[in-house]
Amino acid sequence: MAGINGSRVVPVAALLDGSDRLASSELITAVDISPAEPGSAYSRLVNRATMDAMCGVAVTVALGEDGTVSRCRIAVTGATNYPRRLTELEAALVGMTPPILIPPQQGRSFVDDRLAPATYRKQMTSTMAERAFASAVARARNA
């Protein structure tokens, strides 16, 4: 990022989780993203009338030689006030053997608006995460 006070490098995760913010005088000048894991997928639920995303979940996963999850990243958008990683869920999945049921996410602030109530978005986050995770695992196995 660059601004009137100079330039700085900020991890994308810090912008997504809200721990760092873009100042009003700053611009994002470049985005460096490391290559995805062997398995990745995105699943979303949209409002068919408006095509607004009510919930979207992106997953990247790497499997160990024994078929267990060795690395995993999961991010949600549309269901929460801003895109965010589900780091607690990521940590919980490492070492597990797919298929895995994704529990509803606790302690999150889900959007409650004209498109869907927060309770529905919370449940759909788990459903979309399961679908994306299963697709990512299948791709990782075939990589």
Side-chain angles (χ1 to χ4, degrees):
M1 293 190 280
I4 58 174
N5 295 323
S7 62
R8 62 189 180 116
V9 176
V10 176
V12 171
L15 291 173
L16 294 180
D17 71 11
S19 62
D20 201 337
R21 300 255 186 231
L22 187 66
S24 62
S25 62
E26 290 181 309
L27 294 173
I28 296 175
T29 57
V31 177
D32 291 329
I33 300 175
S34 58
E37 298 292 353
S40 62
Y42 178 72
S43 185
R44 70 183 178 138
L45 175 68
V46 298
N47 179 292
R48 290 179 185 234
T50 64
M51 295 309 288
D52 290 334
M54 291 189 290
C55 177
V57 178
V59 175
T60 65
V61 66
L63 302 175
E65 292 294 323
D66 60 355
T68 62
V69 176
S70 61
R71 290 181 309 278
C72 178
R73 289 191 177 183
I74 302 173
V76 63
T77 186
T80 54
N81 289 328
Y82 54 86
R84 63 182 338 148
R85 294 232 342 247
L86 303 179
T87 54
E88 299 88 11
L89 179 58
E90 295 169 358
L93 295 178
V94 172
M96 295 182 77
T97 303
I100 298 169
L101 294 177
I102 307 290
Q105 298 304 295
Q106 302 300 323
R108 301 255 177 246
S109 177
F110 289 90
V111 173
D112 192 358
D113 64 11
R114 64 180 174 71
L115 296 178
T119 54
Y120 181 71
R121 290 178 194 261
K122 181 179 186 177
Q123 182 58 48
M124 287 301 96
T125 297
S126 295
T127 301
M128 295 298 110
E130 277 184 25
R131 290 178 185 175
F133 185 79
S135 294
V137 166
R139 290 177 180 160
R141 287 183 175 145
N142 293 326

